């Protein structure tokens, strides 16, 4: 028997396994009909007078009306943050600042079920993920940065760190609460105050977070939440009284922000898109690798900047890997995000679904071979089945552009050097995965891959102590770890 035959998987195709639905109750969430802006520690009516509904992507039902801030509202929020910075927050003892962060972390843990249900309702992600990943990690970020708040001089030895002032933070819709934590926790630990704009399709957990701020007795104005669309984001990053801009989102908007901020002296970090390679060598444990491929691309419906959206498989194991992958895909359950059995929830918005549909059509037109396991999609809401493309050329749009959906493109390679070349053949550089039995090969690959994060024999694993960020069109600056404090500090020495 040849090596290849030995590795071919002959297990039977699993028959459809019927689960009884196990929906998480939404009663734990109490929604207001209408939400205004959170400025200076209280909810204030928007001067713009504008409200828009936020919609449950799994049912297309409106959940609540949410204020859309105008330029004047943004100005009021920045002023509140400035006053809070000048009038105490920057001067309180660092150990006191830590106390607030610890409180926030503990309250998030206590209320995590409420937050997880709300996150899934507003954003469409499976409750299994919001409950087991987003919320625990969000709390962990506050715990982690609480620990640094009174140890900054140890984080930066022989330097004198000082806060910058007001941080303007614009976050996307794919990890609303987690991105809030990634941004707010280091900013506060470093002694800054914050104005944060959530995405207009997922504002509700940021608004519930205002309640946590009050419960934790965080002084008014230290964190301000201005909801709205891209106009509010654009006004916020351009406001002259902002000292630091942190953005996560599309490369296109990131470039626009970089142009707007250039020459103003504001510090900037950009965490943008990606087109990560998940690289499988022939000595990898294949069943584990297939789980890693599934997690890499179907986690959060593939709406993940670091998603392993390009699978690079060593040629000698191409057939068994693709066969195992297709079989595993057939077991994924697509449907109600609040059902605890669901693996793939709803796509966040109609626009995102249209973008995925358009790119998948382009893949078929360009000549790639599509596979989608048979699955019943809910009649209402925005859903897309798990999809894999084989026969993909590197020049195809599906191999070059960020799809931000549950769509995987498979390419092959023969040698480690070819794997590196193909993996780096992208405008992005956020993350990569390497699956192999050899530690030396992992290190060899990691040194050569132009990616901010390289996972070895795992994928999409996050830890607050570990820095995250990109190269090239994936942005610059790091979030997480000690590195994540630096963008929020200036140094007197
Ligand atoms: P955007 O970059 O438009 O959105 C990210 C955030 O920026 C949102 O809060 C958005 O507000 C805000 N925003 C929009 N325009 C501006 C502006 N001119 N100035 C300042 N802030 C602005 O991403 P999209 O939601 O349009 O998604 C498009 C694509 O971007 C996705 O398909 C995906 O490929 C990529 N993306 C990458 C993410 C990542 O994590 N790296 C996250 C999200 C998207 P609002 O949403 O309210 O309009």
């Amino acid at each position: 028997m040849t090596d290849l035959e030995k590795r071919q998987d002959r297990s039977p195709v699993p028959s459809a396994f019927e689960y009884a639905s196990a929906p998480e109750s939404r009663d734990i969430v109490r929604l207001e009909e209408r939400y205004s802006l959170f400025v200076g520690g209280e909810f204030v009516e928007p001067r713009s007078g504008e409200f828009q509904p936020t919609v449950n992507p799994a049912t297309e039902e409106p959940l609540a009306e949410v204020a859309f801030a105008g330029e004047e509202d943004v100005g009021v929020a920045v002023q509140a943050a400035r006053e809070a910075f000048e009038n105490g927050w920057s001067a309180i003892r660092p150990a006191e600042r830590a106390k607030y962060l610890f409180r926030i972390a503990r309250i998030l843990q206590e209320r995590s079920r409420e937050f997880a249900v709300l996150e899934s309702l507003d954003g469409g992600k499976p409750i299994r993920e919001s409950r087991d990943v987003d919320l625990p990690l969000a709390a962990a970020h506050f715990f982690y940065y609480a620990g640094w708040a009174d140890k900054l001089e140890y984080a930066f030895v022989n330097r004198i760190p000082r806060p910058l002032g007001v941080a303007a933070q614009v976050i996307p819709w794919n990890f609303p609460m987690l991105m809030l934590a990634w941004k707010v926790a280091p900013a506060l630990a470093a002694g800054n105050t914050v104005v944060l704009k959530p995405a207009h399709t997922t504002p509700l957990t940021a608004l519930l977070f205002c309640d946590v701020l009050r419960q934790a007795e965080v002084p008014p104005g230290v964190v301000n939440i201005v909801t709205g669309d891209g106009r509010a984001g654009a006004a916020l990053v351009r406001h002259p009284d902002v000292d630091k801009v942190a953005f996560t989102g599309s490369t296109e908007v990131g470039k626009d922000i970089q142009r707007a901020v250039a020459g103003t002296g504001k510090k900037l970090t950009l965490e943008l898109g990606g087109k990560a390679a998940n690289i499988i060598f022939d000595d990898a444990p294949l069943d584990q690798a297939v789980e890693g491929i599934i997690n890499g691309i179907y986690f959060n419906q593939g709406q993940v900047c670091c998603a392993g959206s390009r699978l690079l498989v060593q040629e000698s194991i191409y057939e068994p890997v693709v066969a195992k992958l297709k079989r595993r895909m057939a077991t994924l359950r697509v449907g109600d995000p609040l059902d605890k059995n669901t693996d793939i929830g709803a796509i966040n918005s109609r626009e995102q679904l249209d973008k995925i549909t358009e790119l998948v059509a382009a893949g078929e037109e360009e000549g790639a071979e599509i596979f989608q396991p048979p699955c019943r999609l809910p009649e209402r809401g925005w859903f897309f089945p798990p999809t894999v493309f084989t026969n993909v050329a590197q020049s195809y749009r599906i191999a070059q552009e960020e799809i931000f959906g549950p769509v995987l493109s498979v390419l092959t390679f023969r040698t480690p050097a070819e794997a590196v070349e193909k993996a780096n053949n992208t405008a992005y550089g956020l993350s990569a995965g390497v699956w192999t039995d050899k530690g030396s090969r992992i290190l060899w690959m990691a040194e050569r891959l132009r990616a901010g994060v390289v996972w070895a024999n795992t994928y999409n694993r996050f830890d607050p102590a570990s820095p995250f960020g990109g190269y090239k069109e994936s942005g610059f600056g790091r979030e997480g770890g000690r590195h994540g404090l630096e963008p929020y500090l200036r140094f007197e020495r």
Side-chain angles (χ1 to χ4, degrees):
M1 196 187 276
T2 66
D3 227 27
L4 174 62
E5 273 166 347
K6 262 189 272 165
R7 303 207 70 177
Q8 245 155 19
D9 190 82
R10 295 180 191 281
S11 51
V13 176
S15 56
F17 200 79
E18 280 305 321
Y19 289 82
S21 67
E24 176 72 62
S25 165
R26 56 182 280 183
D27 293 349
I28 193 165
V29 169
R30 204 177 57 83
L31 284 173
E32 309 286 336
E33 273 178 27
R34 212 166 213 232
Y35 291 88
S36 37
L37 306 169
F38 189 73
V39 176
E42 36 189 81
F43 281 100
V44 298
E45 287 296 302
R47 293 174 188 213
S48 67
E50 194 180 339
F51 286 84
Q52 295 284 341
T54 178
V55 172
N56 178 346
T59 60
E60 300 174 48
E61 286 164 358
L63 291 166
E65 296 257 306
V66 176
F68 264 39
E71 208 174 321
E72 203 185 336
D73 296 305
V74 167
V76 175
V78 172
Q79 194 186 341
R82 172 64 56 196
E83 280 165 18
F85 180 76
E86 305 290 349
N87 300 338
W89 185 251
S90 59
I92 65 169
R93 283 194 315 119
E96 278 289 296
R97 277 205 308 266
K99 193 178 74 183
Y100 291 109
L101 290 167
F102 277 124
R103 278 189 197 161
I104 293 172
R106 280 197 301 271
I107 296 167
L108 283 179
Q109 285 184 322
E110 281 161 18
R111 297 179 66 175
S112 68
R113 203 168 136 238
E114 183 184 0
F115 270 93
V117 171
L118 187 58
E119 196 75 310
S120 287
L121 271 178
D122 202 20
K125 63 173 67 204
I127 186 74
R128 210 160 45 83
E129 292 178 8
S130 43
R131 181 196 63 195
D132 297 347
V133 182
D134 297 58
L135 262 296
L137 272 176
H141 268 81
F142 279 100
F143 272 122
Y144 176 78
Y145 281 111
W148 274 124
D150 61 348
K151 302 174 195 70
L152 295 177
E153 63 269 40
Y154 301 103
F156 304 97
V157 180
N158 292 330
R159 304 182 77 183
I160 303 176
R162 296 276 179 259
L164 294 169
V166 176
Q169 307 182 322
V170 179
I171 58 170
W173 42 261
N174 53 346
F175 293 91
M177 196 53 210
L178 186 57
M179 288 302 106
L180 177 150
W182 278 28
K183 301 259 179 301
V184 173
L188 298 192
N192 304 280
T193 57
V194 164
V195 180
L196 177 127
K197 192 204 86 70
H200 75 279
T201 58
T202 52
L204 293 181
T205 43
L207 289 163
L208 186 59
F209 182 70
C210 303
D211 203 32
V212 172
L213 293 167
R214 282 176 170 173
Q215 220 180 324
E217 297 176 3
V218 175
V222 169
V223 179
N224 306 274
I225 308 285
V226 286
T227 47
D229 61 8
R231 292 168 295 168
L236 178 57
V237 301
R238 282 169 177 78
H239 195 287
D241 202 23
V242 154
D243 302 290
K244 149 87 193 159
V245 174
F247 172 76
T248 298
S250 64
T251 297
E252 189 192 346
V253 172
K255 285 180 180 173
D256 178 63
I257 292 175
Q258 191 172 10
R259 277 191 291 270
V261 163
T264 61
K266 293 173 190 171
K267 266 201 170 188
L268 176 65
T269 39
L270 296 175
E271 200 266 87
L272 310 175
K275 192 73 190 174
N278 203 0
I279 305 165
I280 321 290
F281 284 96
D282 61 3
D283 60 347
L286 292 197
D287 290 320
Q288 265 168 266
V290 167
E291 288 308 308
I293 298 165
I294 294 278
N295 173 265
I297 185 62
Y298 302 122
F299 174 59
N300 200 25
Q301 297 73 248
Q303 301 167 130
V304 183
C305 47
C306 51
S309 52
R310 284 183 303 148
L311 179 64
L312 296 188
V313 186
Q314 196 152 21
E315 212 171 81
S316 53
I317 51 160
Y318 172 79
E319 280 172 23
V321 167
V322 170
K324 277 173 187 278
L325 177 63
K326 287 181 178 173
R327 213 171 1 252
R328 178 67 175 87
M329 284 169 72
T331 67
L332 293 173
R333 302 179 61 81
V334 185
D336 178 8
L338 284 188
D339 190 328
K340 291 170 210 147
N341 295 318
T342 294
D343 298 303
I344 300 187
I347 302 299
N348 184 259
S349 64
R350 157 78 58 196
E351 292 71 43
Q352 190 58 31
L353 181 59
D354 290 346
K355 178 181 167 189
I356 297 167
T357 310
E358 196 248 313
L359 276 161
V360 166
E364 287 191 89
E365 266 164 40
E366 285 184 302
E369 198 173 304
I370 189 170
F371 170 80
Q372 291 172 328
C375 67
R376 251 172 295 144
L377 299 185
E379 276 168 20
R380 295 204 62 190
W382 304 310
F383 291 89
F384 200 87
T387 302
V388 62
F389 276 110
T390 47
N391 261 339
V392 179
Q394 286 191 80
S395 58
Y396 290 179
R397 286 182 67 197
I398 51 168
Q400 291 290 333
E401 294 180 33
E402 183 177 50
I403 301 176
F404 229 60
V407 183
L408 178 67
S409 299
V410 186
L411 300 142
T412 58
F413 67 91
R414 288 184 183 171
T415 62
E418 187 187 346
V420 169
E421 198 175 316
K422 284 188 168 165
N424 288 343
N425 180 15
T426 167
Y428 297 109
L430 193 55
S431 58
V434 178
W435 296 79
T436 171
D437 197 31
K438 295 186 184 64
S440 56
R441 180 176 283 165
I442 291 168
L443 296 175
W444 191 91
M445 293 290 292
E447 267 180 12
R448 287 160 180 80
L449 291 168
R450 280 304 272 173
V453 176
V454 179
W455 283 293
N457 294 323
T458 187
Y459 207 90
N460 274 340
R461 204 163 271 271
F462 299 95
D463 189 285
S466 177
F468 184 90
Y471 288 105
K472 302 192 283 186
E473 298 220 347
S474 292
F476 50 79
R478 294 293 178 264
E479 294 185 302
R482 197 168 51 83
H483 306 69
L485 286 166
E486 202 168 341
Y488 289 98
L489 291 165
R490 65 187 170 83
F491 295 94
E492 283 185 1
R493 188 175 63 210

